[in-house]
Amino acid sequence: MAYDKFEVLTSTAYPLPIENVDTDQIIPARFLKATERKGFGDNFFRDWRYDSEGNPIADFPLNDPKYAGSKILVGGKNFGSGSSREHAAWSVYDFGLRCVISSFFADIFRNNCLNIGVLPVQVSPEFAQKLFDAIEADPKTEIKVDLPNQTVILLATGESESFDINGYKKSNMLNGFDDIDYLQNMKEEIASFGETRPF
Amino acid sequence: MSKTLFDKVWDSHVVRKIEDGPDVFFIDRHFIHEVTSPVAFVGLKSRGIGVMYPEKTFATADHNTPTWNQHLPVADPLSANQLEALATNAAKYGISHWGLGHRNNGIVHIVGPENGITLPGSTIVCGDSHTSTHGAFGAIAFGIGTSEVEMVLSTQCIMQPKPKKMRINVNGKLGFGVTPKDVALYIISKQTTSGATGYFVEYAGDVFEDMTMEGRMTVCNLSIEMGARGGMIAPDEKTFEYIKGRKHTPKGADWDKAMEYWQTLYTEEGAEFDAEFTYDAADIEPMITYGTNPGMGMGVTQSIPKAEDVEGGVETYKKSLGYMKFNEGDDMIGKKVDYVFLGSCTNGRIEDFRAFCSIIKGRKKADNITAWLVPGSHKVVDQIKEEGLDKILEEAGFVLREPGCSACLAMNDDKVPAGKLAVSTSNRNFEGRQGPGSRTLLASPLVAAATAIEGVVTDPRTILEDSSVQ
């Protein structure tokens, strides 16, 4: 599915300094029953955002007005572990985020994000801590994520760090293309390869 | 250069290598189910493209399905809608479909091997992280997202960078009452929930060679819980014996040809891994988890570690114990339990029911326990009946349910209520995994059975009278 191009994003950020956030927290299983890709933002972190009566939990960062409208989430180490559900990435996007920063991502979650136009930015644990500290000191602190130059910059101090992304995925993100667009152009090559498979 | 098992299978499936990008990777078998496929079919429709190899795609309904009264219409309209979408899409594109009520229906990772769809040296994907199960047969199998489901439907390929390689050796003989589930939980507790992220794991050593195919599936199934893309075990005579004669397995001359290939699937002497770990079977005891990820596990007789003794953030650790309503230093043995769940793609196979019955035979279920015993497929149900295990269960006060994923992820009605404590043979103990507010302890079928009998967390070795269940 095509998505908006990603080039440079400057935004405040939601801080979530918790390790091993799994996809069951990002989107609980009971909200996976849709047959279309819409409405997942409402249930993004459902059980951490709302109590059992459905009232917002005030001190959870995603409910905190001082971070409202941020396009970036800074998460703890090993963000997105667990299930392969792409619904987790959809809920990130649908909630209004375009970038997740963490010192470590789970593989499938990272792939899912890249496939739908959410940029996962892996930084060092030290830089992640700098981001958390800066956000805590000033919730309006802005982070600039520059995909063409592969850098993430803490604007208040000018501190920056570069991040890795493979060239193919970078090009896709910059152009709003996805893998299926690429694969459609090599159907004949795939079909010839398929002929050689024994079963 | 010497090649690993993983190299051999991976390299033979690369259609094209993209410079500074992923490999275009060919998929031999694609499993789909009702939860992660509907949006992929919407994508196909909106792009105006079809399914490239419907005969390489297999659909089964499992995540949402009830485990009771499956002959009646599904009550939850949203679940019914997803099941209907799977049936409609399968029919529209000519994909075989084992819906609710079909003889072959069951959990995708159980019915695949049962029907001979899972073959050595093949590549298998599914929109479910526990696809790693199929690695037990020497296949490269891993979970994918819905965009990738759409990709595989339309082109039979996905785009993946080749993962790094890890080998995990476990040598020696497993002790009394120690099962494949314990081996897996032990490894995950050592690796943590992210230790194998970025890697594909090969399991090697006496313990896996001695293990049944069911046990190997349990181990490979849990590879994802330490972050690995998947796990695999080199195929051997036991593997070939298991798959021979099954519905979709090659027959006659095709079988002979396949065997020639399959016998080349092993890691050569001198082949290199990016990481390697070796554990001793004698160090493994029956395991149990105490926290909110599968890496937070320990021997069932041990006490919960202190925050300062574990890796990772102290606040995160305390949050986890707070959710579980446990304290640092607590013993797990003797904790009162409310629910016991036997089932899931981890432990819903015949061997798991045999193990459970070995403990409960001649005993009675504790009154405080609600037990959900959910076979992984109709074939497992048939085997349970053939072997008379259903009678043992019944006499001990248990009721056998109908196949499905059930309380593993609680998308159907089998939800553990908020605050209640469950001992589960499934794969995840995340917050709310088995229902909002539920608390899960992961364990083997033996620990689950001992707990179901005693009503509290129990070491099965105190109940087992002999080692015949090994």
Side-chain angles (χ1 to χ4, degrees):
Chain A
M1 192 175 287
Y3 49 81
D4 294 337
K5 296 174 181 182
F6 191 113
E7 289 176 354
V8 177
L9 173 69
T10 302
S11 168
T12 56
Y14 295 100
L16 200 60
I18 299 168
E19 292 172 29
N20 305 320
V21 168
D22 58 76
T23 49
D24 273 74
Q25 308 317 311
I26 299 172
I27 184 92
R30 64 190 188 280
F31 301 117
L32 308 184
K33 295 190 180 186
T35 51
E36 291 179 84
R37 189 188 142 178
K38 57 185 180 193
F40 289 99
D42 292 344
N43 297 314
F44 183 50
F45 279 103
R46 178 78 197 191
D47 293 337
W48 288 4
R49 268 168 78 199
Y50 299 95
D51 66 19
S52 54
E53 265 87 57
N55 304 307
I57 297 168
D59 66 354
F60 187 62
L62 295 176
N63 291 332
D64 194 328
K66 62 180 184 270
Y67 306 118
S70 296
K71 303 265 182 225
I72 298 171
L73 177 93
V74 186
K77 185 191 163 200
N78 194 30
F79 194 88
S81 58
S83 158
S84 64
R85 60 187 70 165
E86 193 169 296
H87 312 66
W90 300 340
S91 69
V92 171
Y93 194 100
D94 199 48
F95 186 75
L97 302 169
R98 287 301 305 277
C99 175
V100 181
I101 302 176
S102 167
S103 62
F104 199 86
F105 286 98
D107 273 336
I108 305 181
F109 179 77
R110 182 208 299 265
N111 273 351
N112 286 342
C113 283
L114 285 167
N115 282 336
I116 66 148
V118 171
L119 182 67
V121 172
Q122 188 156 318
V123 297
S124 66
E126 296 74 28
F127 195 75
Q129 193 54 51
K130 276 182 190 166
L131 296 176
F132 285 131
D133 293 344
I135 297 166
E136 194 181 356
D138 176 12
K140 293 293 165 206
T141 201
E142 287 194 309
I143 298 168
K144 182 175 171 183
V145 179
D146 181 339
L147 178 59
N149 292 308
Q150 295 178 221
T151 52
V152 51
I153 307 156
L154 188 53
L155 288 181
T157 63
E159 287 170 284
S160 71
E161 193 169 273
S162 59
F163 62 86
D164 281 340
I165 180 169
N166 78 49
Y168 166 84
K169 282 291 180 191
K170 178 176 171 178
S171 161
N172 272 5
M173 289 288 287
L174 289 171
N175 292 297
F177 294 158
D178 70 12
D179 289 345
I180 299 179
D181 298 329
Y182 183 97
L183 290 171
Q184 283 302 313
N185 290 320
M186 54 179 292
K187 280 290 254 303
E188 283 180 26
E189 191 180 339
I190 295 168
S192 321
F193 187 91
E195 299 275 317
T196 68
R197 291 303 306 151
F199 39 72
Chain B
M1 203 175 113
S2 304
K3 282 188 149 195
T4 66
L5 165 65
F6 176 72
D7 289 328
K8 288 175 182 174
V9 182
W10 184 279
D11 296 350
S12 65
H13 286 83
V14 175
V15 181
R16 181 191 282 183
K17 276 189 177 301
I18 300 172
E19 202 179 327
D20 192 22
D23 290 344
V24 177
F25 190 69
F26 192 84
I27 301 303
D28 294 317
R29 299 285 186 268
H30 184 200
F31 293 114
I32 59 174
H33 62 85
E34 76 277 16
V35 176
T36 57
S37 71
V39 172
F41 283 107
V42 170
L44 288 186
K45 197 176 168 198
S46 69
R47 287 177 203 259
I49 53 181
V51 175
M52 190 170 180
Y53 289 105
E55 71 279 12
K56 292 182 189 290
T57 311
F58 301 85
T60 189
D62 56 6
H63 280 59
N64 261 338
T65 54
T67 57
W68 205 246
N69 287 330
Q70 288 187 349
H71 60 289
L72 298 177
V74 173
D76 175 356
L78 293 174
S79 294
N81 192 36
Q82 279 194 331
L83 295 168
E84 179 63 30
L86 185 70
T88 308
N89 287 324
K92 178 175 170 185
Y93 293 101
I95 295 166
S96 79
H97 173 235
W98 300 336
L100 206 55
H102 192 286
R103 281 294 311 142
N104 290 346
N105 177 254
I107 304 175
V108 58
H109 309 309
I110 291 190
V111 299
E114 270 178 357
N115 287 282
I117 299 168
T118 303
L119 297 174
S122 60
T123 54
I124 301 171
V125 292
C126 172
D128 184 285
S129 58
H130 294 104
T131 308
S132 59
T133 311
H134 308 271
F137 294 80
I140 289 181
F142 53 89
I144 57 176
T146 296
S147 292
E148 292 167 317
V149 171
E150 185 183 339
M151 229 174 275
V152 179
L153 287 170
S154 59
T155 67
Q156 206 60 31
C157 288
I158 64 165
M159 305 189 66
Q160 285 283 307
K162 188 176 177 181
K164 289 185 286 185
K165 293 166 284 182
M166 178 186 288
R167 180 159 61 188
I168 293 180
N169 309 286
V170 185
N171 295 312
K173 293 273 176 214
L174 292 177
F176 176 58
V178 180
T179 70
K181 178 65 164 290
D182 301 307
V183 175
L185 287 176
Y186 177 83
I187 294 170
I188 300 164
S189 75
K190 295 290 174 196
Q191 291 288 330
T192 79
T193 189
S194 61
T197 301
Y199 291 91
F200 213 95
V201 175
E202 179 178 347
Y203 298 98
D206 321 333
V207 163
F208 305 110
E209 284 166 22
D210 291 347
M211 222 175 246
T212 60
M213 289 311 296
E214 283 87 353
R216 293 177 189 182
M217 283 187 255
T218 298
V219 170
C220 290
N221 171 282
L222 288 161
S223 304
I224 182 73
E225 306 307 340
M226 53 183 168
R229 229 39 239 287
M232 67 197 305
I233 295 173
D236 59 8
E237 286 307 318
K238 221 180 266 182
T239 317
F240 308 137
E241 186 62 31
Y242 180 97
I243 58 178
K244 195 168 191 180
R246 291 184 188 262
K247 185 175 160 71
H248 289 268
T249 309
K251 308 282 188 303
D254 288 340
W255 171 267
D256 297 336
K257 201 171 145 216
M259 275 294 279
E260 267 180 50
Y261 169 54
W262 293 338
Q263 283 167 337
T264 68
L265 297 174
Y266 56 87
T267 291
E268 292 163 10
E269 199 74 39
E272 287 181 13
F273 289 84
D274 300 290
E276 182 148 13
F277 297 88
T278 299
Y279 303 109
D280 186 346
D283 292 338
I284 308 175
E285 66 165 323
M287 296 286 292
I288 197 149
T289 62
Y290 54 85
T292 55
N293 72 57
M296 299 173 76
M298 62 185 190
V300 69
T301 60
Q302 295 169 18
S303 49
I304 297 176
K306 300 267 199 270
E308 64 263 28
D309 297 334
V310 297
E311 277 180 49
V314 170
E315 285 310 308
T316 299
Y317 185 74
K318 287 186 171 166
K319 178 182 187 300
S320 180
L321 290 193
Y323 179 86
M324 293 302 292
K325 301 179 187 168
F326 295 157
N327 300 303
E328 299 170 47
D330 278 4
D331 286 336
M332 293 306 291
I333 293 282
K335 280 204 186 291
K336 187 164 174 286
V337 171
D338 308 293
Y339 283 75
V340 165
F341 171 55
L342 175 68
S344 85
C345 57
T346 310
N347 283 124
R349 284 172 280 269
I350 185 63
E351 189 173 283
D352 304 312
F353 282 82
R354 286 180 195 142
F356 193 89
C357 287
S358 73
I359 295 254
I360 65 156
K361 189 173 185 181
R363 299 189 171 86
K364 291 284 178 199
K365 182 182 82 63
D367 290 340
N368 60 305
I369 296 287
T370 301
W372 290 329
L373 313 184
V374 186
S377 70
H378 287 291
K379 282 201 171 67
V380 174
V381 175
D382 291 347
Q383 273 179 294
I384 287 171
K385 290 180 178 166
E386 275 165 30
E387 297 181 16
L389 301 178
D390 55 331
K391 297 281 182 300
I392 296 174
L393 292 169
E394 201 178 308
E395 281 163 16
F398 294 92
V399 178
L400 196 63
R401 298 177 80 89
E402 294 168 279
C405 296
S406 180
C408 177
L409 81 169
M411 278 194 75
N412 67 356
D413 292 332
D414 304 342
K415 291 178 174 58
V416 175
K420 298 291 184 189
L421 188 63
V423 167
S424 296
T425 62
S426 48
N427 39 58
R428 287 186 176 140
N429 50 348
F430 298 149
E431 286 185 25
R433 172 75 178 183
Q434 296 195 272
S438 62
R439 302 181 297 144
T440 298
L441 310 178
L442 301 176
S444 73
L446 291 181
V447 172
T451 301
I453 294 300
E454 298 294 336
V456 297
V457 175
T458 300
D459 182 347
R461 292 171 297 190
T462 61
I463 294 187
L464 279 171
E465 285 155 357
D466 60 49
S467 58
S468 60
V469 296
Q470 291 294 303

